[in-house]
Amino acid sequence: MKRLLKYTLALLLIALIALFAWGYAPDTDPAAMKAKYASASSQFIDVGGGLTMHVRNEGKRDGPVLVLLHGSNASLHTWEPWVARLGAKYRIISLDQIGHGLTGPNPTDQYDGDAFVGTLDALMVKMGVSKFALAGNSMGGYVAWEYALAHGDKLTHLVLIDAAGPPEDPNKKLPIGFRIARTPGINKLALVITPRSLFERSIHQSVSNQAIVTPASIDRYWELNRYPGNRAATGLRFASYAGRLRDVGRMGEIKVPTLILWGAEDKLIPVSGADWFAARIPGSVRIVYPGIGHIPMEEAADRSAADLDAFLSGPFPSPGNMPSIAQSKP
C-alpha cells in the first residue's frame, strides 16, 4: 500500500510538472502591453473609484457618436475594421471593458451587469457624451441591452451583434477556453496555466471566416488576458454569469431603435438568438450573415459596417421597409 501511494504521488508530481511546463504563463508587463497595444488614439481616463479605463476616441469629431463594446476576453481592437470603414462619418468611441485589455480589473472586483453598465456610464459622463448609439458584441451585447434598460434616454440606437442573453442549450459544446473558465477548480489553474495554444484553438472555434485568425491576433488575446488582474477578473465574471438573465423579462421595455446582427454559423451563441431578441424587442430589425460566425464586425467587416451605416443614417424604418439591409448578401 505504501509503495502504491508512493508511485501515485510520484505520478501526480510528474503530471503537475508537465502541466506547468506545458502551459505556465506569468502576467505580462503593463508597460510593455501599453507600448504594444495602445495607439496614438488611446486615452486612459480616470472614471473614479480607482478605475482608469483604456479608450480610443476616433473618427469625425463632430459626427454622430457611436460607442462600441467588445465581447468576453476580447478588447477594443476587435472594432478596428469598423473604425476604418465608418470613421469618416462617425465619432467612434471604443473601450476596454473592466477586466479586459489595458483597462485591467475593476477595483471593486464586481463583474455583474450593474458593474459593466455603471462603469460604462461613468466613462460617458466623464467624456461629456450624453447621446450616442451603442453597439455590443457577445458579452458586450449583453452590456448594451442592459444599458438600454437602465439609460435608454441616452441612446439614439442600439445594436446587438451575436449578443449574450438568450438561454443556453445545456448540450452545446463551448470553445475550450469558455469551458475552462466555467469549471470550478480548473478555472483556478487558469490563473497561471494559460498556454497560447488554448487561445488559438478557442478563437478558431468561435469564427467561420478563419482568415481573421492571425498569429498577431492570437498573441493579442493571449497577452492581454495575462495583463495583471485580468485572469482573476475572468474567473469572477464567469462566477456571476447566471445573473445576466435577471432582466430578460424586461426586454419589451426597450424603445430605442434596435438592429440585430448575427452570424449564421455562430457556434457560441446560435443564430436562433437573433430570433429570440427580435421577438422581445419591439420593432427591431434582424440581419443574418451566411457563412459567418461569432464576430461579424471582423469576419464580414464590409457588409456589417455598411448595414450599420444604413441603419444609423435613419430615419428608423419598420422591419418590413428595409429591403437593402434585410437582403444583405454574403
Side-chain angles (χ1 to χ4, degrees):
M1 181 63 71
K2 289 183 179 180
R3 180 175 295 179
L4 178 60
L5 180 60
K6 182 179 179 181
Y7 284 146
T8 301
L9 291 175
L11 288 173
L12 287 174
L13 180 60
I14 291 171
L16 188 61
I17 292 171
L19 180 64
F20 270 79
W22 168 67
Y24 173 72
D27 283 348
T28 49
D29 176 66
M33 292 298 95
K34 289 177 180 178
K36 185 172 183 178
Y37 293 115
S39 72
S41 300
S42 289
Q43 301 176 30
F44 291 87
I45 299 178
D46 182 351
V47 299
L51 177 64
T52 298
M53 302 188 74
H54 176 220
V55 180
R56 286 184 183 174
N57 187 7
E58 302 174 282
K60 187 178 180 183
R61 292 296 173 174
D62 61 349
V65 180
L66 171 62
V67 177
L68 304 174
L69 304 177
H70 63 75
S72 179
N73 294 324
S75 64
L76 57 72
H77 301 82
T78 195
W79 301 109
E80 289 176 347
W82 272 14
V83 173
R85 289 160 177 80
L86 298 169
K89 186 173 181 179
Y90 300 93
R91 176 187 174 191
I92 303 177
I93 298 172
S94 57
L95 58 132
D96 286 337
Q97 299 193 80
I98 49 175
H100 293 80
L102 299 177
T103 290
N106 189 4
T108 67
D109 282 339
Q110 297 298 308
Y111 296 96
D112 58 6
D114 290 339
F116 280 94
V117 169
T119 51
L120 171 61
D121 195 54
L123 177 64
M124 293 297 99
V125 170
K126 190 77 172 183
M127 296 182 72
V129 177
S130 58
K131 204 74 173 178
F132 55 96
L134 181 62
N137 171 240
S138 193
M139 178 199 77
Y142 157 64
V143 178
W145 64 257
E146 285 279 18
Y147 191 93
L149 287 172
H151 303 287
D153 58 314
K154 297 186 178 184
L155 299 184
T156 62
H157 302 79
L158 175 65
V159 184
L160 304 178
I161 310 157
D162 297 68
E168 289 189 349
D169 178 354
N171 299 315
K172 177 181 68 177
K173 186 176 181 180
L174 292 168
I176 186 169
F178 284 84
R179 297 202 302 273
I180 289 173
R182 294 189 187 185
T183 304
I186 294 178
N187 58 7
K188 298 298 184 184
L189 286 175
L191 294 174
V192 290
I193 307 293
T194 48
R196 183 180 183 279
S197 59
L198 182 69
F199 286 83
E200 181 175 14
R201 183 177 173 186
S202 290
I203 298 167
H204 278 297
Q205 290 175 331
S206 296
V207 303
S208 289
N209 180 1
Q210 298 294 323
I212 72 166
V213 184
T214 65
S217 69
I218 296 167
D219 283 344
R220 185 180 70 241
Y221 274 89
W222 182 50
E223 292 175 343
L224 290 178
N225 175 263
R226 291 159 45 223
Y227 189 86
N230 281 353
R231 285 184 283 191
T234 299
L236 292 171
R237 177 164 50 84
F238 274 92
S240 63
Y241 189 73
R244 69 183 176 83
L245 297 178
R246 179 189 64 184
D247 293 326
V248 161
R250 297 180 54 211
M251 280 195 177
E253 299 174 23
I254 295 177
K255 305 304 181 185
V256 181
T258 300
L259 174 63
I260 301 164
L261 303 179
W262 223 276
E265 297 182 357
D266 189 339
K267 297 180 179 65
L268 186 58
I269 309 179
V271 68
S272 58
D275 296 326
W276 187 88
F277 277 111
R280 286 162 176 78
I281 302 178
S284 55
V285 177
R286 168 188 173 278
I287 305 171
V288 174
Y289 299 109
I292 297 301
H294 190 60
I295 317 177
M297 63 279 189
E298 292 190 58
E299 296 183 65
D302 287 339
R303 286 174 285 161
S304 59
D307 287 340
L308 175 65
D309 181 36
F311 176 72
L312 296 181
S313 296
F316 179 61
S318 65
N321 293 326
M322 296 188 72
S324 63
I325 292 183
Q327 297 175 9
S328 179
K329 301 297 183 182

